[in-house]
């Protein structure tokens, strides 16, 4: 009996560690923006990861208040180790900082903060599509985004598209109160935006958009690293098709990776799937999302949390 009790204890302990920071009976949520992001945060939900329905009649859950432009584009939400939801977003097309707020339930939010992440870079022109990834090994959150700094990376500079020539930068924090200095995260040798990084066993997978305009790429690629802050491998060949794609976000359903992205020049969303991150199948015709949805992120919520969101009018 003692051995059996010990076995059951170990089994339960192992199971609890396996689902640490993950709600039971997971449902899927999609944070996104519409139009130019002026009305704020929109949320949708799904039970299967393929069919998505807008919450709150597709009205905003949170209106933006920070920066001169007061936008809330490219919202990224993750569930933190503290079981709070943490969100960052693009506040402006041409500001040197990003927005941050937290929430226990996605309904009630903290006061919005402006994080001046590129304020020390005189030539910084923007801060686009920030995201957060948690490193369970170091108990640290990394916030990262893309910025063009005038006069840097001239080998890939061009006059096309207002001369933007982005690379990825990051800061780290353990508590969203104190932050490290801004550092370069990734220079893939091309103009890169819209990064999202997710853990995969003992490595991290970086999904990104190759923003090269001449000759046009406008596709998604991936890279890998053993550490969240790099160094990341050389970018892969493109994993999306002939259409232009941006704003990737990913969900793993069993062994199946699903990457959603904005086919922005076609004004609709697409998706691809893979079991090995090498061979990809387009499943754009198998997904459905709210009309007008734009660049956002997918994350998990509990059934109880989703029920509360469904009750918001």
């Amino acid at each position: 009996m003692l051995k059996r009790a010990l076995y059951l204890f170990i089994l339960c302990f192992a199971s609890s560690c396996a689902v640490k920071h993950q709600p039971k009976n997971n449902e899927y949520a999609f944070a996104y923006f519409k139009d130019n992001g002026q009305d704020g945060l929109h949320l949708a939900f799904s039970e299967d990861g393929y069919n998505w329905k807008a919450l709150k009649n597709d009205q905003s859950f949170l209106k933006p208040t920070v920066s001169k432009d007061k936008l809330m584009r490219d919202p990224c939400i993750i569930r933190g180790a503290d079981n709070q939801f943490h969100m960052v977003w693009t506040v402006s097309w041409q500001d040197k900082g990003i927005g941050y707020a937290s929430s226990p339930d996605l309904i009630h939010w903290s006061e919005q903060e402006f994080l001046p992440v590129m304020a020390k870079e005189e030539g910084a022109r923007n801060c686009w599509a920030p995201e957060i990834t948690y490193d369970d090994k170091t108990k640290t959150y990394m916030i990262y985004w893309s910025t063009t700094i005038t006069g840097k990376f001239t080998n890939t500079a061009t006059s096309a598209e207002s001369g933007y020539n982005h690379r990825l930068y990051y800061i780290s924090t353990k508590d969203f109160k104190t932050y490290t200095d801004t550092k370069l995260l990734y220079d893939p040798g091309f103009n890169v935006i819209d990064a999202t990084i997710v853990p995969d066993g003992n490595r991290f997978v970086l999904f990104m958009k190759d923003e090269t305009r001449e000759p046009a790429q406008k596709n998604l690629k991936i890279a890998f690293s053993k550490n969240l802050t790099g160094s990341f491998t050389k970018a892969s060949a493109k994993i999306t098709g002939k259409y232009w794609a941006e704003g990737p976000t990913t969900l793993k359903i069993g062994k199946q990776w699903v990457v959603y992205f904005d086919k922005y020049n076609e004004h609709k969303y697409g998706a691809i799937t893979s079991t090995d991150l090498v061979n990809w199948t387009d499943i754009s015709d198998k997904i459905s999302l709210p009309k007008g949805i734009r660049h956002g992120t997918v994350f998990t919520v509990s059934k109880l949390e989703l029920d509360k969101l469904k009750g918001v009018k």
Side-chain angles (χ1 to χ4, degrees):
M1 289 294 291
L2 181 60
K3 288 184 177 180
R4 177 173 173 77
L6 181 60
Y7 169 77
L8 290 173
F9 171 78
I10 293 172
L11 180 63
C12 291
F13 179 78
S15 299
S16 67
C17 288
V19 298
K20 189 176 182 182
H21 311 320
Q22 293 294 328
K24 296 179 181 179
N25 303 317
N26 282 352
E27 306 281 355
Y28 305 116
F30 204 132
Y32 60 98
F33 77 99
K34 301 184 72 172
D35 299 319
N36 194 33
Q38 67 275 10
D39 74 335
L41 173 65
H42 290 253
L43 295 172
F45 74 96
S46 175
E47 296 178 351
D48 60 8
Y50 284 75
N51 301 291
W52 298 84
K53 296 181 180 179
L55 290 159
K56 199 181 175 183
N57 295 317
D58 212 5
Q59 300 301 305
S60 173
F61 276 81
L62 180 67
K63 296 186 181 299
T65 61
V66 297
S67 89
K68 59 185 179 183
D69 291 340
K70 292 182 174 58
L71 300 179
M72 190 172 281
R73 298 173 59 88
D74 320 315
C76 171
I77 297 177
I78 70 164
R79 183 190 299 275
D82 55 1
N83 210 36
Q84 295 285 302
F85 293 102
H86 298 276
M87 178 172 68
V88 290
W89 66 92
T90 304
V91 298
S92 168
W93 286 92
Q94 297 177 322
D95 215 324
K96 292 188 177 186
I98 60 176
Y100 166 76
S102 63
S103 171
D105 55 10
L106 301 171
I107 301 169
H108 305 93
W109 289 87
S110 67
E111 183 178 351
Q112 296 173 37
E113 299 179 44
F114 178 80
L115 306 183
V117 294
M118 297 302 288
K120 294 181 180 180
E121 286 285 352
E122 184 177 349
R125 297 180 56 189
N126 60 333
C127 293
W128 286 359
E131 297 226 359
I132 312 173
T133 300
Y134 181 69
D135 188 344
D136 194 57
K137 183 170 60 177
T138 63
K139 312 301 180 188
T140 303
Y141 301 90
M142 184 175 78
I143 303 173
Y144 48 99
W145 63 93
S146 55
T147 289
T148 289
I149 300 178
T150 302
K152 287 197 173 184
F153 306 106
T154 55
N155 58 315
T156 57
T158 174
S159 60
E161 297 183 333
S162 302
Y164 281 116
N165 185 27
H166 301 88
R167 294 302 186 271
L168 302 180
Y169 296 85
Y170 77 97
I171 57 174
S172 297
T173 183
K174 290 182 178 292
D175 56 12
F176 294 95
K177 295 178 181 177
T178 59
Y179 301 88
T180 62
D181 290 336
T182 298
K183 296 180 181 179
L184 178 68
L185 175 62
Y186 188 49
D187 170 21
F190 54 78
N191 182 1
V192 58
I193 64 172
D194 294 355
T196 185
I197 304 173
V198 293
D200 178 37
N202 60 357
R203 66 179 180 176
F204 291 91
V205 187
L206 165 61
F207 296 84
M208 75 197 92
K209 179 190 179 185
D210 185 340
E211 181 72 330
T212 302
R213 184 66 182 90
E214 298 175 342
Q217 290 292 320
K218 306 291 187 175
N219 51 49
L220 304 185
K221 297 177 177 178
I222 59 177
F224 304 90
S225 174
K226 291 182 179 179
N227 300 304
L228 179 56
T229 56
S231 59
F232 283 88
T233 62
K234 180 181 178 180
S236 71
K238 67 178 184 178
I239 63 174
T240 47
K242 295 180 180 179
Y243 45 80
W244 286 10
E246 68 179 15
T249 184
T250 186
L251 179 66
K252 197 170 185 183
I253 306 173
K255 295 182 179 180
Q256 202 81 19
W257 291 85
V258 180
V259 179
Y260 311 86
F261 50 88
D262 192 345
K263 291 185 177 182
Y264 62 101
N265 59 338
E266 298 181 17
H267 306 290
K268 61 183 180 181
Y269 248 71
I272 53 176
T273 185
S274 174
T275 57
D276 58 10
L277 296 174
V278 177
N279 302 289
W280 295 88
T281 301
D282 194 297
I283 57 168
S284 298
D285 61 343
K286 294 180 172 62
I287 64 169
S288 62
L289 297 106
K291 185 178 180 180
I293 183 173
R294 301 191 65 190
H295 187 162
T297 53
V298 174
F299 57 102
T300 57
V301 293
S302 70
K303 187 177 185 307
L304 178 60
E305 288 167 334
L306 181 57
D307 287 343
K308 290 181 178 179
L309 289 170
K310 288 179 177 179
V312 177
K313 305 298 182 182

